[in-house]
Amino acid sequence: ERIHAAYARALSERAQAHEYDSEIADHWDEAGETERAFAAHLTAGRTAVTGLAFERAEAHFERALDLWDRLPDAAAVAGEPRLAIVDRAASAAARAGHFEQAVALTHAIIDDGDEVPPETFERARSSLRWYLWEAGDIATVREAAESVVAEGEAVPPRWRANALGHLAAALLFERRADEAEPRALEARDLALETGAIEEQVLAEGLLGWCRLLGGDVDAGLEAIRRAADAADRVEEGGLQGRYPVGAALARVHLAMALEMVERFDEAYQVAREGAAVAAAHGVARTFGSSLQASAARALFQLGRLDDAVATVDTGLADGAVGSGRVALVAQRATLLVVADQLDEAELVLVDACIL
């Protein structure tokens, strides 16, 4: 224990000590110095987030939560309430692609009930719906959004607009565009009234999808493009710390829309640019993998089969997770089928637990 404490002190005294934050935290842990370890894990978690190392950040925040109850006044050491650390851990888990863990952590915030400040509670409910969506549980997203909307004016306007947007998105996913459009309009109008910029951007993009699916292709694409541009401006305004990463997500939707109307050259360009945006925000494994899959599908349609194979391989090598991984694996199987490698295609699908 004394050796670990000595290492922690020595590393802390270095000029660029932040480069060793993870090691410092681990050494204080091994030394049995609970308070110092707790503070060091929080510092290491924040440093990891800044460096886009979300898996490491998640581990540090969760270790800090483990140590919380061992301290007489952990909140004073942390400088923030326990729920804020839970929220940090959930966000890091989601960005690392650990959606089930993000869901579990966020449920812990919501289940605190009366102890949770109203703004924290509503943000957690919003985040939960995003995490559930990424985990593929769209039906629960819709049910959760419907529940919030049913609460009416008991929910602050900004968060009611947020839930309406999520409800519209779930309805669109379920091919219920006629029901989705009035919800998206309601979300947009409420967002405009309250100055909720993120919710307005979400609603405008959803309305674009409603127009596109309704047959007005040009108007739909233009609205989705405007939403993508607006998402960039929202993040430039200092909201980039929130999940999801709007600029990457908006490009996912624009690329998918362009694919749908068979504008494959443009779809490829948007997906390629979007993958770079996702990588710059540290979400190459999640949103980035969806964009790589979109790029691969567009390349396939353009007859650029070798480039499509390379794009799929890159996406999987980057550690794709969730729906993006499924899409990449499906595209790899398609490419194998086209190459008349049927046995290999079946193996790919079986290994991915799709069959």
Side-chain angles (χ1 to χ4, degrees):
E1 290 184 354
R2 285 180 294 178
I3 293 174
H4 284 293
Y7 269 116
R9 290 190 183 92
L11 291 171
S12 299
E13 291 169 1
R14 293 194 177 186
Q16 302 295 326
H18 65 276
E19 295 179 4
Y20 305 97
D21 283 344
S22 287
E23 294 175 60
I24 292 168
D26 290 340
H27 280 303
W28 283 127
D29 238 341
E30 292 294 334
E33 295 275 358
T34 303
E35 183 172 322
R36 284 174 168 164
F38 173 73
H41 278 296
L42 289 177
T43 298
R46 294 176 185 127
T47 299
V49 168
T50 301
L52 307 180
F54 296 115
E55 196 161 16
R56 189 187 313 157
E58 177 192 357
H60 283 301
F61 290 135
E62 291 191 1
R63 180 55 181 158
L65 290 169
D66 289 340
L67 296 173
W68 182 281
D69 291 333
R70 302 187 195 179
L71 297 174
D73 194 358
V77 178
E80 60 186 355
R82 187 177 190 278
L83 292 180
I85 301 172
V86 177
D87 184 54
R88 290 178 187 274
S91 179
R95 288 172 182 255
H98 302 157
F99 302 118
E100 292 183 0
Q101 180 65 359
V103 167
L105 287 163
T106 308
H107 269 303
I109 298 174
I110 294 168
D111 292 345
D112 265 18
D114 293 339
E115 299 300 318
V116 185
E119 184 70 10
T120 301
F121 179 73
E122 295 300 344
R123 174 173 169 149
R125 292 207 292 183
S126 172
S127 295
L128 179 62
R129 293 191 295 273
W130 281 118
Y131 304 153
L132 286 165
W133 186 288
E134 295 298 330
D137 193 353
I138 310 303
T140 302
V141 172
R142 175 175 47 74
E143 292 166 3
E146 287 172 337
S147 177
V148 174
V149 171
E151 294 176 23
E153 294 186 1
V155 179
R158 182 264 175 93
W159 296 111
R160 197 159 74 251
N162 184 273
L164 283 162
H166 291 173
L167 177 54
L171 290 168
L172 274 172
F173 186 89
E174 295 173 344
R175 306 291 184 182
R176 298 160 63 182
D178 289 347
E179 298 172 66
E181 186 168 9
R183 292 304 195 183
L185 283 167
E186 191 178 353
R188 185 196 62 185
D189 292 347
L190 190 56
L192 284 168
E193 288 174 14
T194 58
I197 300 173
E198 287 179 276
E199 282 63 39
Q200 181 187 343
V201 171
L202 172 62
E204 293 287 4
L206 292 167
L207 287 169
W209 272 102
C210 291
R211 295 188 185 105
L212 182 70
L213 295 172
D216 193 343
V217 172
D218 290 337
L221 285 177
E222 181 58 28
I224 297 169
R225 282 196 185 93
R226 285 199 306 269
D229 292 340
D232 288 340
R233 292 194 297 273
V234 167
E235 293 196 348
E236 288 168 3
L239 295 172
Q240 64 269 29
R242 293 201 58 201
Y243 183 90
V245 180
L249 176 61
R251 284 172 173 80
V252 170
H253 284 282
L254 179 54
M256 289 174 59
L258 290 164
E259 283 186 75
M260 182 175 291
V261 298
E262 300 184 359
R263 299 186 185 182
F264 298 116
D265 280 311
E266 190 178 356
Y268 170 67
Q269 292 300 327
V270 168
R272 185 179 178 185
E273 292 167 5
V277 169
H281 286 82
V283 288
R285 300 178 66 205
T286 54
F287 293 125
S289 63
S290 293
L291 286 155
Q292 293 278 31
S294 188
R297 289 192 299 268
L299 288 166
F300 174 78
Q301 293 294 337
L302 292 167
R304 296 170 56 183
L305 302 188
D306 290 343
D307 289 337
V309 170
T311 299
V312 168
D313 289 345
T314 297
L316 293 172
D318 285 343
V321 295
S323 59
R325 179 175 182 273
V326 172
L328 284 166
V329 170
Q331 189 58 43
R332 171 182 269 182
T334 299
L335 289 161
L336 288 168
V337 169
V338 169
D340 201 26
Q341 300 178 40
L342 302 185
D343 291 341
E344 290 85 348
E346 184 176 2
L347 285 173
V348 165
L349 294 174
V350 170
D351 288 345
C353 300
I354 295 177
L355 288 180

